[in-house]
Amino acid sequence: MTLDSPFTGRHVLISGGCGFIGSMLARKLVALGARVTLIDSLIPAYGGNLANIADIRDRVWLNISDVRDPYAMAQLIRDQDYLFNLAGQTSHIDSMTDPFTDLEINATAQLSILEAARKLNPRVRIVFASTRQLYGKPEYLPVDERHPIVPVDINGIHKFAGESYHLLYHKVHGIASCCLRLTNTYGPGMRVKDARQTFLGIWLKLILSGKSIKVFGDGKQLRDFNYVDDVVAALLFAATRDQAIGRVMNLGSDEVISLKDLAELIVSVNGAGSWELVPFPSDRKAIDIGDYYGNWSLARELLGWHPNVGLKEGLQRSLEYYRVHGASYWE
Ligand SMILES: NC(=O)c1ccc[n+]([C@@H]2O[C@H](COP(=O)([O-])OP(=O)(O)OC[C@H]3O[C@@H](n4cnc5c(N)ncnc54)[C@H](O)[C@@H]3O)[C@@H](O)[C@H]2O)c1
């Protein structure tokens, strides 16, 4: 997208704007000349980090508030042209130990955001960040959007509810929303202090701290990954392509890799380090989805999207980022 993009001079709200993907999206929108407001609760257990927006802090409006506050959300959404709805509780394990918080953030708050849009700003264009997690254990591969929805954890159920609200509000109330089902996304700004966002984050921290990467089980599980810049591009396309409205689309990559090969690749890109197989912790095994990779041809067809950054390059960029900025992310 160029500087005369549809976002130039437009009001854009990003929920979860201090998070990993939200902050990268904000940076891009600022460069495109948008008037960007970020909402983030900055709850320490989640991925929000002011270091993610340090370089654009004086070019965005930052509202530290919680999407569970319907009054705050109503005020924030009323004059916006676009809402990128990215705030979420992302930990699958936390969703199992504290299901009601996941319900409040990933479902109830989504409904109140849509109610605010319906009542105060029905012309706002909304893109919701959903997840491939809601498919559960794949019945076939690659998983397309027609695959049955059988979540293996509470997070998957609530993200599906959040997604369904967005589609319903389009169908019934005419709100121009659409949903992207993200696969594992990685890159600079991701949470690396633990595995709450994705296992890959803690792997990067381990390798950069000279520790061995722990791969659960036999390490043969297949996954696909998207570099964050590619996901940002998909979000921008989704907000501007009319054919995307009311649709749900997988993101994904053709570069499918087993977890042990991924660990090996990280070691080789880093130029040092090691990895080891460890037994699957029982709480993780219970919600593991086995092999997953997605069919993202609908996103290619409707958005003209395809991933550009290969895994090796993306890992190089990510490791480089944390070598320089790690101190703001380790603890
Ligand atoms: N990163 C991935 O691999 C991935 C995969 C699938 C789906 N997603 C979805 O993409 C979205 C963004 O994910 P991310 O990877 O950037 O994670 P992230 O944790 O970095 O970003 C989410 C942001 O939401 C904020 N947030 C959480 N609860 C909030 C609340 N109640 N009020 C206001 N802000 C709140 C967090 O502080 C955080 O900054 C999430 O909705 C997530 O479910 C991400």
Side-chain angles (χ1 to χ4, degrees), residues 89 91-108 153-155 157-158:
Q89 194 300 106
S91 164
H92 302 291
I93 292 286
D94 288 2
S95 82
M96 302 303 288
T97 52
D98 181 8
F100 290 102
T101 298
D102 195 89
L103 174 70
E104 286 163 15
I105 297 174
N106 288 331
T108 311
D153 58 32
I154 293 289
N155 182 263
I157 294 175
H158 295 154

Side-chain angles (χ1 to χ4, degrees), residues 1-3 7 22-34 36 56 229 232-233 236:
M1 290 203 190
T2 58
L3 262 181
F7 298 104
S23 60
M24 209 52 110
L25 174 67
R27 188 168 294 104
K28 181 73 183 173
L29 284 163
V30 163
L32 293 170
V36 179
I56 51 167
D229 288 5
V232 165
L236 296 175

Side-chain angles (χ1 to χ4, degrees), residues 252-269:
S253 161
D254 291 340
E255 210 180 344
V256 176
I257 187 167
S258 73
L259 296 189
K260 63 186 173 66
D261 288 348
L262 177 65
E264 189 62 46
L265 181 62
I266 293 173
V267 170
S268 117
V269 168

Side-chain angles (χ1 to χ4, degrees), residues 15-23 39-43 46-49 52 65-68 85-90 105-106 109 128-133 155 159 180-186 189-191 197-198:
S15 75
C18 296
F20 162 42
I21 301 170
S23 60
I39 307 170
D40 208 294
S41 57
L42 290 176
I43 295 168
Y46 304 150
N49 189 333
N52 284 342
S65 52
D66 197 302
V67 292
R68 288 171 288 184
N85 197 5
L86 270 57
Q89 194 300 106
T90 62
I105 297 174
N106 288 331
F128 176 68
S130 184
T131 173
R132 58 108 170 106
Q133 186 69 10
N155 182 263
K159 288 296 280 192
L180 296 180
R181 290 182 182 154
L182 276 51
T183 189
N184 301 279
T185 304
Y186 71 101
M190 70 198 292
R191 184 178 174 100
Q197 197 174 69
T198 141

Side-chain angles (χ1 to χ4, degrees), residues 77 135 218 235:
I77 208 169
Y135 293 118
D218 62 10
L235 290 162

